[in-house]
Amino acid sequence: MNILRSFFGGISQFIGTFIASFKKPMATSINSIRGFIISLLVGLFVAIVAVGVQPFGLSEFTNDAKTLYLIGFGIVAFVGMLVAKFVLPSILSNFYNDQQWTVGRQIVHLSATILIVGTLIMLYSNYFNITALTFVDILKTVAVCILPIAITTFIQQKLFHNKFSTTAENINSSLESINPPASKQLFPVMVFGESGQKLSLIPNQLIYAETSKDSTDFYWQSLMGVEKTTVQTPLAQVEKELSAHPQFVRLHRNFVINMRGIHKVEGNARGYRLRIARTKHEIPVSWKFHKKLEQIGQ
């Protein structure tokens, strides 16, 4: 009986671990410049293969403009990638939340991408009678690709996790020694807001600012603790006011942060997150600002 309990307990633990592995954080290139570049490269690759290798019966296709028709496969693949990287996320915004992106979602997304690209290629090929493709062929391709997709995703997750977690530890070890340049003003006072409500702070008071289209939430240190004040001022005005104070850095499109307010940097396969001093707040670091954060810790 104990042997059976141990056996089934081991199986249950294995299944739990297996399921949990699909919930691990993962980086994504949806709705980003990286996503556009990847789409372009995929389209280019498909065009080169179609023209150079001519697989799946393409070599038997005859037409005076054959090369242009074959290049068309690359264009169709590029369009399909854009649909998967930009259109699909706008339709399924809850699923494509980049702050909740996981290994499992990445595998589903890549499988859906192959399905979308393959379906568009099938429609293109059949419309111009280039080579006969069926939807069953596309489904078979997706089924064959799932295992390589899963293996590649798990490897990528592991590499990203090791890179960002290790670098985050290195940055944390040097946080206390970070000494941002002094303000360019002799008596620095920052004023935010042009009309109505205004907020005046000295640089060390401001912990960070979160901006939206027309307003900004300022989190600042008062005698009573950390306070939040919303002012009707856009990001451009905030950055202009902070430009004279080098201790403030932009590490996300919506956040400007006081380097002295960074309590800890955390890293996983999704990238970096900042824990802010004297608050429970966490701020994500956009991929395009990763190098900037890493340079701060050097």
Side-chain angles (χ1 to χ4, degrees):
M1 192 59 119
N2 290 334
I3 295 176
L4 285 175
R5 283 203 194 98
S6 178
F7 175 74
F8 286 111
I11 292 178
S12 177
Q13 185 177 4
F14 171 78
I15 294 174
T17 302
F18 180 73
I19 293 174
S21 65
F22 287 92
K23 297 180 181 180
K24 290 182 178 180
M26 184 64 189
T28 177
S29 58
I30 57 173
N31 289 326
S32 68
I33 295 297
R34 288 192 306 122
F36 180 83
I37 293 173
I38 291 172
S39 301
L40 193 61
L41 291 175
V42 168
L44 182 62
F45 174 77
V46 171
I48 291 173
V49 171
V51 174
V53 181
Q54 298 186 17
F56 308 114
L58 294 181
S59 58
E60 300 176 5
F61 174 64
T62 56
N63 190 288
D64 292 339
K66 180 177 180 177
T67 301
L68 291 178
Y69 278 105
L70 296 183
I71 291 175
F73 281 103
I75 297 173
V76 170
F78 173 62
V79 171
M81 290 294 297
L82 291 181
V83 170
K85 294 285 187 183
F86 296 92
V87 178
L88 205 58
S90 67
I91 298 173
L92 304 173
S93 56
N94 289 335
F95 179 82
Y96 280 94
N97 185 332
D98 59 352
Q99 295 305 313
Q100 297 178 9
W101 201 247
T102 61
V103 168
R105 294 189 184 194
Q106 177 78 348
I107 294 172
V108 171
H109 166 71
L110 292 177
S111 300
T113 300
I114 294 174
L115 181 62
I116 292 170
V117 172
T119 300
L120 291 180
I121 285 177
M122 177 195 71
L123 295 173
Y124 172 79
S125 180
N126 292 347
Y127 182 79
F128 290 106
N129 295 316
I130 300 174
T131 185
L133 293 174
T134 66
F135 191 66
V136 174
D137 295 327
I138 306 305
L139 292 178
K140 288 180 179 178
T141 302
V142 174
V144 169
C145 291
I146 286 179
L147 182 58
I149 286 173
I151 293 173
T152 303
T153 301
F154 279 114
I155 293 174
Q156 190 180 41
Q157 192 276 339
K158 185 68 174 178
L159 292 174
F160 280 158
H161 177 80
N162 290 343
K163 175 185 184 300
F164 292 128
S165 60
T166 301
T167 306
E169 291 177 3
N170 294 335
I171 296 173
N172 288 328
S173 64
S174 61
L175 271 181
E176 293 183 1
S177 62
I178 292 177
N179 187 23
S183 172
K184 298 176 184 178
Q185 299 176 353
L186 184 60
F187 300 103
V189 176
M190 305 178 300
V191 180
F192 303 100
E194 296 181 351
S195 61
Q197 184 183 18
K198 289 188 178 182
L199 178 65
S200 299
L201 300 170
I202 61 174
N204 286 342
Q205 275 186 289
L206 179 59
I207 302 172
Y208 75 91
E210 180 179 1
T211 64
S212 58
K213 184 177 180 181
D214 299 313
S215 64
T216 301
D217 294 331
F218 294 92
Y219 293 84
W220 55 282
Q221 182 69 44
S222 71
L223 294 176
M224 305 299 294
V226 177
E227 296 192 27
K228 172 186 172 183
T229 302
T230 301
V231 177
Q232 299 301 312
T233 183
L235 174 62
Q237 293 294 333
V238 175
E239 288 189 315
K240 181 179 179 181
E241 186 66 28
L242 296 177
S243 61
H245 311 286
Q247 71 195 73
F248 294 97
V249 292
R250 185 181 176 192
L251 297 175
H252 187 278
R253 64 185 179 185
N254 295 330
F255 294 93
V256 181
I257 303 147
N258 188 336
M259 281 191 279
R260 296 188 174 117
I262 300 175
H263 172 65
K264 185 179 180 181
V265 179
E266 295 182 344
N268 58 33
R270 202 175 284 149
Y272 299 113
R273 295 185 72 85
L274 307 178
R275 286 191 176 274
I276 305 302
R278 298 181 293 279
T279 74
K280 295 181 180 180
H281 300 172
E282 291 186 359
I283 294 175
V285 179
S286 299
W287 274 69
K288 68 177 182 179
F289 294 114
H290 279 187
K291 290 294 183 183
K292 191 173 186 179
L293 174 63
E294 291 164 1
Q295 290 170 358
I296 290 174
Q298 292 177 356

PDB file of all heavy atoms in Angstrom, residues 254-273:
ATOM      1  N   ASN A 254       5.663  54.663 -19.736  1.00  0.00           N
ATOM      2  CA  ASN A 254       4.721  55.384 -18.874  1.00  0.00           C
ATOM      3  C   ASN A 254       5.309  55.781 -17.518  1.00  0.00           C
ATOM      4  O   ASN A 254       4.585  56.333 -16.696  1.00  0.00           O
ATOM      5  CB  ASN A 254       3.468  54.537 -18.625  1.00  0.00           C
ATOM      6  CG  ASN A 254       2.674  54.293 -19.890  1.00  0.00           C
ATOM      7  OD1 ASN A 254       2.683  55.114 -20.793  1.00  0.00           O
ATOM      8  ND2 ASN A 254       1.999  53.158 -19.972  1.00  0.00           N
ATOM      9  N   PHE A 255       6.590  55.477 -17.286  1.00  0.00           N
ATOM     10  CA  PHE A 255       7.156  55.736 -15.963  1.00  0.00           C
ATOM     11  C   PHE A 255       8.477  56.493 -16.062  1.00  0.00           C
ATOM     12  O   PHE A 255       9.331  56.179 -16.901  1.00  0.00           O
ATOM     13  CB  PHE A 255       7.414  54.426 -15.210  1.00  0.00           C
ATOM     14  CG  PHE A 255       6.173  53.659 -14.855  1.00  0.00           C
ATOM     15  CD1 PHE A 255       5.682  52.676 -15.702  1.00  0.00           C
ATOM     16  CD2 PHE A 255       5.490  53.920 -13.679  1.00  0.00           C
ATOM     17  CE1 PHE A 255       4.542  51.961 -15.394  1.00  0.00           C
ATOM     18  CE2 PHE A 255       4.340  53.215 -13.351  1.00  0.00           C
ATOM     19  CZ  PHE A 255       3.867  52.236 -14.214  1.00  0.00           C
ATOM     20  N   VAL A 256       8.637  57.483 -15.182  1.00  0.00           N
ATOM     21  CA  VAL A 256       9.918  58.145 -14.971  1.00  0.00           C
ATOM     22  C   VAL A 256      10.263  57.938 -13.501  1.00  0.00           C
ATOM     23  O   VAL A 256       9.448  58.212 -12.617  1.00  0.00           O
ATOM     24  CB  VAL A 256       9.847  59.650 -15.304  1.00  0.00           C
ATOM     25  CG1 VAL A 256      11.218  60.295 -15.102  1.00  0.00           C
ATOM     26  CG2 VAL A 256       9.374  59.862 -16.729  1.00  0.00           C
ATOM     27  N   ILE A 257      11.476  57.448 -13.229  1.00  0.00           N
ATOM     28  CA  ILE A 257      11.816  56.956 -11.895  1.00  0.00           C
ATOM     29  C   ILE A 257      13.035  57.681 -11.340  1.00  0.00           C
ATOM     30  O   ILE A 257      13.999  57.959 -12.060  1.00  0.00           O
ATOM     31  CB  ILE A 257      12.103  55.439 -11.953  1.00  0.00           C
ATOM     32  CG1 ILE A 257      10.896  54.703 -12.523  1.00  0.00           C
ATOM     33  CG2 ILE A 257      12.451  54.886 -10.579  1.00  0.00           C
ATOM     34  CD1 ILE A 257      11.258  53.497 -13.322  1.00  0.00           C
ATOM     35  N   ASN A 258      12.972  57.974 -10.056  1.00  0.00           N
ATOM     36  CA  ASN A 258      14.118  58.503  -9.340  1.00  0.00           C
ATOM     37  C   ASN A 258      15.059  57.334  -9.024  1.00  0.00           C
ATOM     38  O   ASN A 258      14.667  56.391  -8.346  1.00  0.00           O
ATOM     39  CB  ASN A 258      13.656  59.178  -8.045  1.00  0.00           C
ATOM     40  CG  ASN A 258      14.775  59.930  -7.346  1.00  0.00           C
ATOM     41  OD1 ASN A 258      15.950  59.637  -7.529  1.00  0.00           O
ATOM     42  ND2 ASN A 258      14.393  60.905  -6.535  1.00  0.00           N
ATOM     43  N   MET A 259      16.282  57.385  -9.528  1.00  0.00           N
ATOM     44  CA  MET A 259      17.220  56.280  -9.309  1.00  0.00           C
ATOM     45  C   MET A 259      17.434  56.000  -7.825  1.00  0.00           C
ATOM     46  O   MET A 259      17.667  54.864  -7.430  1.00  0.00           O
ATOM     47  CB  MET A 259      18.567  56.584  -9.983  1.00  0.00           C
ATOM     48  CG  MET A 259      18.564  56.348 -11.476  1.00  0.00           C
ATOM     49  SD  MET A 259      20.233  56.418 -12.172  1.00  0.00           S
ATOM     50  CE  MET A 259      20.452  58.187 -12.306  1.00  0.00           C
ATOM     51  N   ARG A 260      17.315  57.046  -7.009  1.00  0.00           N
ATOM     52  CA  ARG A 260      17.492  56.868  -5.570  1.00  0.00           C
ATOM     53  C   ARG A 260      16.293  56.177  -4.934  1.00  0.00           C
ATOM     54  O   ARG A 260      16.340  55.795  -3.770  1.00  0.00           O
ATOM     55  CB  ARG A 260      17.739  58.221  -4.901  1.00  0.00           C
ATOM     56  CG  ARG A 260      19.038  58.891  -5.362  1.00  0.00           C
ATOM     57  CD  ARG A 260      19.339  60.128  -4.544  1.00  0.00           C
ATOM     58  NE  ARG A 260      20.637  60.680  -4.898  1.00  0.00           N
ATOM     59  CZ  ARG A 260      20.824  61.874  -5.437  1.00  0.00           C
ATOM     60  NH1 ARG A 260      19.781  62.643  -5.695  1.00  0.00           N
ATOM     61  NH2 ARG A 260      22.034  62.301  -5.723  1.00  0.00           N
ATOM     62  N   GLY A 261      15.197  56.044  -5.711  1.00  0.00           N
ATOM     63  CA  GLY A 261      13.997  55.399  -5.188  1.00  0.00           C
ATOM     64  C   GLY A 261      13.899  53.926  -5.528  1.00  0.00           C
ATOM     65  O   GLY A 261      12.940  53.262  -5.146  1.00  0.00           O
ATOM     66  N   ILE A 262      14.888  53.401  -6.250  1.00  0.00           N
ATOM     67  CA  ILE A 262      14.869  51.979  -6.606  1.00  0.00           C
ATOM     68  C   ILE A 262      15.353  51.165  -5.413  1.00  0.00           C
ATOM     69  O   ILE A 262      16.505  51.288  -4.979  1.00  0.00           O
ATOM     70  CB  ILE A 262      15.762  51.701  -7.827  1.00  0.00           C
ATOM     71  CG1 ILE A 262      15.285  52.501  -9.038  1.00  0.00           C
ATOM     72  CG2 ILE A 262      15.755  50.200  -8.154  1.00  0.00           C
ATOM     73  CD1 ILE A 262      16.185  52.375 -10.260  1.00  0.00           C
ATOM     74  N   HIS A 263      14.459  50.356  -4.858  1.00  0.00           N
ATOM     75  CA  HIS A 263      14.819  49.528  -3.710  1.00  0.00           C
ATOM     76  C   HIS A 263      15.474  48.220  -4.140  1.00  0.00           C
ATOM     77  O   HIS A 263      16.461  47.773  -3.547  1.00  0.00           O
ATOM     78  CB  HIS A 263      13.566  49.221  -2.875  1.00  0.00           C
ATOM     79  CG  HIS A 263      13.793  48.232  -1.783  1.00  0.00           C
ATOM     80  ND1 HIS A 263      14.631  48.487  -0.711  1.00  0.00           N
ATOM     81  CD2 HIS A 263      13.303  46.962  -1.593  1.00  0.00           C
ATOM     82  CE1 HIS A 263      14.642  47.430   0.089  1.00  0.00           C
ATOM     83  NE2 HIS A 263      13.864  46.495  -0.423  1.00  0.00           N
ATOM     84  N   LYS A 264      14.922  47.612  -5.183  1.00  0.00           N
ATOM     85  CA  LYS A 264      15.439  46.316  -5.632  1.00  0.00           C
ATOM     86  C   LYS A 264      15.048  46.086  -7.085  1.00  0.00           C
ATOM     87  O   LYS A 264      13.988  46.511  -7.523  1.00  0.00           O
ATOM     88  CB  LYS A 264      14.876  45.190  -4.751  1.00  0.00           C
ATOM     89  CG  LYS A 264      15.434  43.812  -5.043  1.00  0.00           C
ATOM     90  CD  LYS A 264      14.820  42.775  -4.107  1.00  0.00           C
ATOM     91  CE  LYS A 264      15.381  41.385  -4.386  1.00  0.00           C
ATOM     92  NZ  LYS A 264      14.772  40.358  -3.494  1.00  0.00           N
ATOM     93  N   VAL A 265      15.924  45.401  -7.799  1.00  0.00           N
ATOM     94  CA  VAL A 265      15.637  44.991  -9.175  1.00  0.00           C
ATOM     95  C   VAL A 265      15.424  43.485  -9.190  1.00  0.00           C
ATOM     96  O   VAL A 265      16.238  42.736  -8.658  1.00  0.00           O
ATOM     97  CB  VAL A 265      16.789  45.363 -10.130  1.00  0.00           C
ATOM     98  CG1 VAL A 265      16.471  44.913 -11.562  1.00  0.00           C
ATOM     99  CG2 VAL A 265      17.063  46.862 -10.091  1.00  0.00           C
ATOM    100  N   GLU A 266      14.309  43.056  -9.767  1.00  0.00           N
ATOM    101  CA  GLU A 266      14.031  41.628  -9.883  1.00  0.00           C
ATOM    102  C   GLU A 266      14.048  41.246 -11.359  1.00  0.00           C
ATOM    103  O   GLU A 266      13.615  42.003 -12.214  1.00  0.00           O
ATOM    104  CB  GLU A 266      12.668  41.286  -9.270  1.00  0.00           C
ATOM    105  CG  GLU A 266      12.623  41.530  -7.771  1.00  0.00           C
ATOM    106  CD  GLU A 266      11.280  41.149  -7.166  1.00  0.00           C
ATOM    107  OE1 GLU A 266      10.313  40.993  -7.958  1.00  0.00           O
ATOM    108  OE2 GLU A 266      11.203  41.026  -5.938  1.00  0.00           O
ATOM    109  N   GLY A 267      14.568  40.061 -11.653  1.00  0.00           N
ATOM    110  CA  GLY A 267      14.663  39.623 -13.035  1.00  0.00           C
ATOM    111  C   GLY A 267      14.154  38.207 -13.222  1.00  0.00           C
ATOM    112  O   GLY A 267      14.413  37.337 -12.390  1.00  0.00           O
ATOM    113  N   ASN A 268      13.387  37.996 -14.260  1.00  0.00           N
ATOM    114  CA  ASN A 268      12.977  36.649 -14.670  1.00  0.00           C
ATOM    115  C   ASN A 268      12.910  36.633 -16.189  1.00  0.00           C
ATOM    116  O   ASN A 268      13.354  37.579 -16.851  1.00  0.00           O
ATOM    117  CB  ASN A 268      11.654  36.233 -14.026  1.00  0.00           C
ATOM    118  CG  ASN A 268      10.511  37.184 -14.350  1.00  0.00           C
ATOM    119  OD1 ASN A 268      10.450  37.773 -15.430  1.00  0.00           O
ATOM    120  ND2 ASN A 268       9.588  37.358 -13.412  1.00  0.00           N
ATOM    121  N   ALA A 269      12.364  35.569 -16.771  1.00  0.00           N
ATOM    122  CA  ALA A 269      12.355  35.440 -18.230  1.00  0.00           C
ATOM    123  C   ALA A 269      11.520  36.509 -18.913  1.00  0.00           C
ATOM    124  O   ALA A 269      11.609  36.689 -20.128  1.00  0.00           O
ATOM    125  CB  ALA A 269      11.852  34.050 -18.623  1.00  0.00           C
ATOM    126  N   ARG A 270      10.698  37.224 -18.164  1.00  0.00           N
ATOM    127  CA  ARG A 270       9.874  38.294 -18.729  1.00  0.00           C
ATOM    128  C   ARG A 270      10.651  39.600 -18.807  1.00  0.00           C
ATOM    129  O   ARG A 270      10.217  40.544 -19.461  1.00  0.00           O
ATOM    130  CB  ARG A 270       8.608  38.450 -17.876  1.00  0.00           C
ATOM    131  CG  ARG A 270       7.433  39.108 -18.583  1.00  0.00           C
ATOM    132  CD  ARG A 270       6.214  39.105 -17.680  1.00  0.00           C
ATOM    133  NE  ARG A 270       5.609  37.784 -17.619  1.00  0.00           N
ATOM    134  CZ  ARG A 270       4.965  37.303 -16.565  1.00  0.00           C
ATOM    135  NH1 ARG A 270       4.862  38.035 -15.463  1.00  0.00           N
ATOM    136  NH2 ARG A 270       4.434  36.094 -16.599  1.00  0.00           N
ATOM    137  N   GLY A 271      11.766  39.668 -18.113  1.00  0.00           N
ATOM    138  CA  GLY A 271      12.569  40.883 -18.103  1.00  0.00           C
ATOM    139  C   GLY A 271      12.810  41.367 -16.688  1.00  0.00           C
ATOM    140  O   GLY A 271      12.897  40.570 -15.746  1.00  0.00           O
ATOM    141  N   TYR A 272      12.909  42.691 -16.510  1.00  0.00           N
ATOM    142  CA  TYR A 272      13.185  43.281 -15.203  1.00  0.00           C
ATOM    143  C   TYR A 272      11.937  43.959 -14.635  1.00  0.00           C
ATOM    144  O   TYR A 272      11.094  44.470 -15.370  1.00  0.00           O
ATOM    145  CB  TYR A 272      14.282  44.340 -15.307  1.00  0.00           C
ATOM    146  CG  TYR A 272      15.607  43.834 -15.807  1.00  0.00           C
ATOM    147  CD1 TYR A 272      16.106  44.230 -17.044  1.00  0.00           C
ATOM    148  CD2 TYR A 272      16.373  42.961 -15.040  1.00  0.00           C
ATOM    149  CE1 TYR A 272      17.322  43.781 -17.508  1.00  0.00           C
ATOM    150  CE2 TYR A 272      17.596  42.507 -15.501  1.00  0.00           C
ATOM    151  CZ  TYR A 272      18.070  42.924 -16.732  1.00  0.00           C
ATOM    152  OH  TYR A 272      19.267  42.462 -17.199  1.00  0.00           O
ATOM    153  N   ARG A 273      11.866  43.969 -13.303  1.00  0.00           N
ATOM    154  CA  ARG A 273      10.858  44.743 -12.579  1.00  0.00           C
ATOM    155  C   ARG A 273      11.558  45.473 -11.443  1.00  0.00           C
ATOM    156  O   ARG A 273      12.490  44.928 -10.833  1.00  0.00           O
ATOM    157  CB  ARG A 273       9.747  43.849 -12.021  1.00  0.00           C
ATOM    158  CG  ARG A 273       8.914  43.177 -13.091  1.00  0.00           C
ATOM    159  CD  ARG A 273       7.757  42.411 -12.485  1.00  0.00           C
ATOM    160  NE  ARG A 273       6.729  43.300 -11.960  1.00  0.00           N
ATOM    161  CZ  ARG A 273       5.750  43.811 -12.710  1.00  0.00           C
ATOM    162  NH1 ARG A 273       5.674  43.525 -13.985  1.00  0.00           N
ATOM    163  NH2 ARG A 273       4.843  44.594 -12.167  1.00  0.00           N
TER     164      ARG A 273
END
